[in-house]
Amino acid sequence: MLPYSSQGQGETTLVLMHYLGGSHRTWFPALPYLDRHYHCVALDTPGFGDAAELKGYDVASMVRQVDETIRSLGLKKVILAGHSMTGKVALALAAQRPDYLEKLVLVAPSPPGPQPMSEQDRQTQASYQGTRKEAETFVDGSCSAPLPEQVREVAIADAQSASLAAWHAWPLSGSREEWRDRIGRIDLPALLVLGSEDGNVPGVDAQQEMMQTHLPQGTLTVIAGAGHLMPMQTPQELAARILAFAAS
C-alpha cells in the first residue's frame, strides 16, 4: 500500500495525487479548506515522498498501486484528483471504471498521449541529480510567483528526496506512454483546472480537445495568474473550485 496522509471526515473521500517531484505534502496548503467538508487522503506515488523506495514508475504500475491503496483503505465513494504527472494516472485509473470512483479532478494534467515537450526540456528533466540548486530551479520555474518561503522549502525538500530513478523515468518513459485508446470515453463528471501562467503542460485548446474526446462530462476552469504548482501557489482558489465541483 502507498504511504498517505488522512484528515477530515465524511462519506466521500478526496484522494489527492501529486506532481513529478512532489508528495502528499504538496496538498498541505489546500487541505485546511478541503478537510472541513470531506475526508482527504493524499498519496505518495512510487519513488516520491515517503514512497521513495517503492518501485513501479510506469503508468500501469502507478494505477495498480493507487487502486490497491484505495481498496485497502475501504473507501467507497471517491473523488480522485491527479496533478500534472498523476493526471495521466487518474485518467488511466478512471478508464477501468472502479466502483468507488464518482468524480475526477485533473489539475494541470499531463495528457493521455505522449506529452509535447522539446527534446532540450526532456533531457533537462532526465539529467536531474537532486541538488539544492536544481530543486530550487525546478520549483521556482514551475510557479508564476514566488511561493511562501516555508511552502517553497517543503517543495524543494520533496524534489531533493525523490528517487532519481523515478524522476528520470517520467520524461524518458511515462510521459511518452500512449494511453488514448485505452482510456477511451470516461462517462464521469470531471473538472479540469488550469493555471493561466502555466507553461509546463498543454494549454486550454489542447485540454478542451482532450475533454471532447475522453471526458464528455468535463468542465474546464482557469485560475488567473496561477502557475503549475496550484495546490501550493493558489491553494484557497484551487480548493474553492474543487469544493464547488464536488458539491454540484
Side-chain angles (χ1 to χ4, degrees), residues 48-88:
F48 301 97
D50 297 338
E53 302 303 318
L54 293 183
K55 308 297 182 184
Y57 313 137
D58 60 289
V59 173
S61 293
M62 287 191 275
V63 166
R64 175 180 55 78
Q65 294 186 63
V66 171
D67 179 63
E68 288 175 352
T69 301
I70 291 172
R71 294 186 186 280
S72 295
L73 291 173
L75 305 180
K76 302 301 183 184
K77 295 184 177 182
V78 168
I79 298 174
L80 181 64
H83 179 201
S84 191
M85 172 185 75
T86 58
K88 189 170 188 173

Side-chain angles (χ1 to χ4, degrees), residues 28-188:
F28 279 5
L31 283 173
Y33 307 105
L34 297 172
D35 68 7
R36 298 175 187 176
H37 307 276
Y38 294 96
H39 178 213
C40 297
V41 170
L43 302 178
D44 287 330
T45 60
F48 301 97
D50 297 338
E53 302 303 318
L54 293 183
K55 308 297 182 184
Y57 313 137
D58 60 289
V59 173
S61 293
M62 287 191 275
V63 166
R64 175 180 55 78
Q65 294 186 63
V66 171
D67 179 63
E68 288 175 352
T69 301
I70 291 172
R71 294 186 186 280
S72 295
L73 291 173
L75 305 180
K76 302 301 183 184
K77 295 184 177 182
V78 168
I79 298 174
L80 181 64
H83 179 201
S84 191
M85 172 185 75
T86 58
K88 189 170 188 173
V89 176
L91 281 166
L93 177 54
Q96 298 181 358
R97 278 71 173 176
D99 55 2
Y100 54 74
L101 187 57
E102 296 193 331
K103 295 183 179 183
L104 197 60
V105 176
L106 303 174
V107 180
S110 293
Q115 184 164 334
M117 186 186 303
S118 72
E119 190 57 31
Q120 180 179 355
D121 287 345
R122 193 177 296 279
Q123 291 306 316
T124 296
Q125 284 193 11
S127 63
Y128 177 79
Q129 293 300 311
T131 67
R132 168 81 189 195
K133 183 177 180 180
E134 287 174 312
E136 288 177 340
T137 298
F138 173 76
V139 170
D140 294 342
S142 298
C143 299
S144 58
L147 293 176
E149 191 59 30
Q150 291 179 326
V151 175
R152 179 176 181 265
E153 286 300 320
V154 170
I156 290 169
D158 275 344
Q160 287 194 270
S161 65
S163 159
L164 292 181
W167 190 297
H168 298 161
W170 181 251
L172 295 178
S173 180
S175 69
R176 286 173 159 161
E177 290 187 32
E178 176 56 84
W179 278 82
R180 283 173 289 195
D181 288 344
R182 284 178 282 182
I183 288 170
R185 176 188 173 102
I186 300 173
D187 289 313
L188 282 176

Side-chain angles (χ1 to χ4, degrees), residues 210-226:
M210 183 187 74
M211 281 200 306
Q212 292 170 358
T213 302
H214 301 291
L215 299 168
Q217 296 186 53
T219 300
L220 188 149
T221 184
V222 178
I223 298 180

Side-chain angles (χ1 to χ4, degrees), residues 15-29:
V15 175
L16 308 165
M17 301 189 294
H18 59 81
Y19 63 96
L20 172 71
S23 76
H24 69 279
R25 300 172 186 88
T26 296
W27 287 92
F28 279 5

